[in-house]
Amino acid sequence: MITTRQPHPRPHACPNRRPVRPGPAHQLRQTGHPDPAQGPDPAERREPARGPGSDPQRGPGRDPQREPDPQRGPSRGPDSAQWPDPDERREPARGPDPASRPGPGPQRGPGSDPQREPARGPGPNPQRKPQGHPPPRAARRQLNLATRHQLTAAGIPSGTITSRSRPGGPWQRLLPRVYLLQTGPPDQRQRALSTVLYAAEPAADPLSGDTAALTGATALALLGIREAPYAPGSPVDVLIRSPRRLAATGHVRPLPTSRWPRTITVSGVPSTRPVRAAADFAARTDDPDRVRAVLAGVVQAGWCHPRDLHAELRASRLLTRPAIAAAAAELLAGVRSIAEARARDTLTATDLPTPLWNARLYTPDGTFLASPDAYWPDEGVALEIDSAEYHYTRDAWHATLRRRLRLESHGVLVVSATPSMIRDTPTEVLAALRTLLTLAATRPTPPTTTARGHQQLPLPF
């Protein structure tokens, strides 16, 4: 007796697949338990293998009765939407297609989806707080310096200023409430400007020179006066308007004054004019030689006229001091250096006639000849004080010889000496001058030069 086995209906029958003959192989696919009594279905053996990329859980491969689509490649099974092609699985994973993203239409405007942030453009987010605070614009004008008032006005918190100015930080605290916005050491100009920032009123512009200005030796050093002493550790003199008071530090010496001068800007630092800076330096210096050298250097460099300097010293009530009064008198007489001042003192103690100091000599046709340190116009004798500091180079030595040849070619007798000779062996220099003055009085050919008094040098301002 033959018993017919009814096939179990499949819940998801695909119309593209051919009907499966009921049998043990069908039970294997349904239950997942093999039947050891029977082998695989011959119909399954007749289907071609799907290759190494096939999925063993999918069962048999494609239907051979279905024609492939040349645009889409080989046809796929009924579950092709769930199982991609093996070639596609071997490609690396990609992100979502930009073309498939929804554009910024009216349905995606801000506020449409409360769970999703609105799309941002390539620019910075205005809602995000900046991680760092840029230096204020004032630091660019102030040699990379700024005060605490300027930093807080630029929106930088006080805690940030304190943390950045700690040892090893990106900023440095040079003076109370004055910061250098760099890691390197400050130079001479930055140190000078820091004192002005410290002394200036917080609400005022420190570069205007209305509330604080540099003066004294530091201001003269910025002008290039070599005789002005400059030391990084020495206190810097800063003028402030009286009756305002300011605490002095180890590096700043505030000087209240009721005679506020006209100010200038030297290398980006508000400073007093050279005539006022020289007077303030002389008022706080006890070394007479230093006072004579600095006052003569200011006049010799052409920063002021001797009469202007004498008037400033008189207005400052400094002519009552003997050293300052003597230095001012020497400048009015034409002395322009400390060596010339010592030579003048040596000649004053003798019976020799008084010479002209730094007179300008011209030829009869009006051509400038030279300007010797001391000149006796009646006798035609000149004294040249040649220091090694200004005459040690080859060009300077040649210029000195050419100047002496021009003087001698016009009948001027020249005596050359160094500052050390005048200081150490003045008798030898005086003997040479006395001999030439005696010989020049009896010579038949007088010098063909015209001496004019010392003139004011052209001022740079």
Side-chain angles (χ1 to χ4, degrees):
M1 182 175 180
I2 300 174
T3 304
T4 304
R5 184 178 300 175
Q6 297 295 331
H8 183 74
R10 297 182 62 183
H12 301 287
C14 181
N16 295 331
R17 288 185 178 272
R18 60 189 179 119
V20 181
R21 184 178 60 183
H26 176 67
Q27 294 179 359
L28 175 64
R29 287 193 295 271
Q30 294 293 332
T31 60
H33 301 283
D35 189 0
Q38 300 185 12
D41 190 3
E44 296 181 354
R45 290 196 303 270
R46 285 194 300 269
E47 292 183 358
R50 295 196 61 187
S54 61
D55 190 355
Q57 297 181 3
R58 288 189 57 189
R62 301 180 180 90
D63 188 0
Q65 297 180 2
R66 186 174 180 179
E67 296 181 359
D69 190 355
Q71 301 294 333
R72 300 180 56 187
S75 61
R76 302 176 183 178
D79 52 352
S80 60
Q82 301 178 2
W83 300 93
D85 188 74
D87 295 336
E88 297 178 359
R89 290 199 301 269
R90 284 194 297 269
E91 294 180 0
R94 299 177 181 177
D97 188 7
S100 62
R101 298 177 183 177
Q107 298 179 359
R108 290 295 311 279
S112 59
D113 189 359
Q115 302 295 331
R116 189 170 185 176
E117 297 180 2
R120 299 190 180 99
N125 183 12
Q127 297 180 359
R128 172 179 288 183
K129 296 182 179 180
Q131 299 296 331
H133 300 276
R137 295 181 179 179
R140 304 175 185 176
R141 303 169 50 240
Q142 299 172 174
L143 305 180
N144 212 19
L145 292 165
T147 62
R148 177 175 284 270
H149 178 78
Q150 293 173 343
L151 295 175
T152 55
I156 302 179
S158 300
T160 303
I161 300 174
T162 304
S163 61
R164 291 188 178 184
S165 57
R166 290 174 180 172
W171 295 353
Q172 304 177 51
R173 180 179 174 272
L174 299 183
L175 292 171
R177 306 182 305 276
V178 180
Y179 301 90
L180 177 63
L181 309 185
Q182 68 182 34
T183 56
D187 56 8
Q188 180 182 359
R189 296 190 307 157
Q190 290 173 333
R191 289 186 179 276
L193 183 57
S194 64
T195 60
V196 178
L197 296 180
Y198 169 75
E201 294 183 1
D205 183 12
L207 298 183
S208 63
D210 295 336
T211 59
L214 195 68
T215 189
T218 307
L220 296 176
L222 290 179
L223 292 173
I225 304 301
R226 303 177 59 181
E227 293 79 8
Y230 172 75
S234 60
V236 179
D237 295 334
V238 181
L239 287 183
I240 59 175
R241 290 184 181 272
S242 180
R244 180 169 172 258
R245 298 296 177 181
L246 188 67
T249 64
H251 302 282
V252 184
R253 183 166 54 184
L255 304 178
T257 179
S258 57
R259 295 190 312 111
W260 191 256
R262 294 173 55 187
T263 59
I264 59 176
T265 301
V266 181
S267 301
V269 183
S271 307
T272 61
R273 294 189 303 166
V275 62
R276 179 62 181 271
D280 292 337
F281 170 79
R284 288 158 184 84
T285 304
D286 298 331
D287 188 359
D289 292 339
R290 181 66 66 182
V291 172
R292 298 169 74 179
V294 170
L295 296 183
V298 172
V299 176
Q300 178 68 23
W303 292 109
C304 64
H305 194 271
R307 291 187 179 89
D308 297 334
L309 182 57
H310 190 274
E312 181 64 32
L313 294 174
R314 184 176 62 252
S316 302
R317 300 178 181 179
L318 297 176
L319 294 180
T320 56
R321 302 183 184 181
I324 298 178
E330 294 169 355
L331 295 176
L332 292 177
V335 174
R336 296 295 181 265
S337 65
I338 186 66
E340 296 176 5
R342 290 172 179 171
R344 183 174 180 267
D345 294 340
T346 302
L347 293 174
T348 304
T350 64
D351 57 348
L352 295 178
T354 303
L356 299 178
W357 294 93
N358 290 285
R360 301 175 67 87
L361 305 185
Y362 294 86
T363 60
D365 59 354
T367 303
F368 174 74
L369 186 59
S371 180
D373 297 328
Y375 180 67
W376 287 263
D378 297 335
E379 293 81 5
V381 178
L383 172 63
E384 286 282 77
I385 305 175
D386 301 330
S387 62
E389 183 179 2
Y390 298 98
H391 301 272
Y392 72 96
T393 62
R394 178 180 179 181
D395 296 339
W397 180 53
H398 285 178
T400 302
L401 293 181
R402 286 194 296 267
R403 183 175 68 252
R404 181 167 182 171
L405 288 176
R406 289 196 305 267
L407 291 174
E408 292 179 346
S409 64
H410 288 80
V412 178
L413 303 179
V414 181
V415 175
S416 297
T418 61
S420 60
M421 293 179 182
I422 297 175
R423 181 184 66 248
D424 301 335
T425 58
T427 56
E428 298 179 0
V429 179
L430 292 176
L433 287 174
R434 192 182 302 274
T435 302
L436 290 183
L437 289 173
T438 303
L439 293 176
T442 59
R443 61 178 174 172
T445 305
T448 58
T449 59
T450 303
R452 300 179 185 177
H454 55 81
Q455 299 178 359
Q456 179 181 2
L457 301 178
L459 297 178
F461 295 135

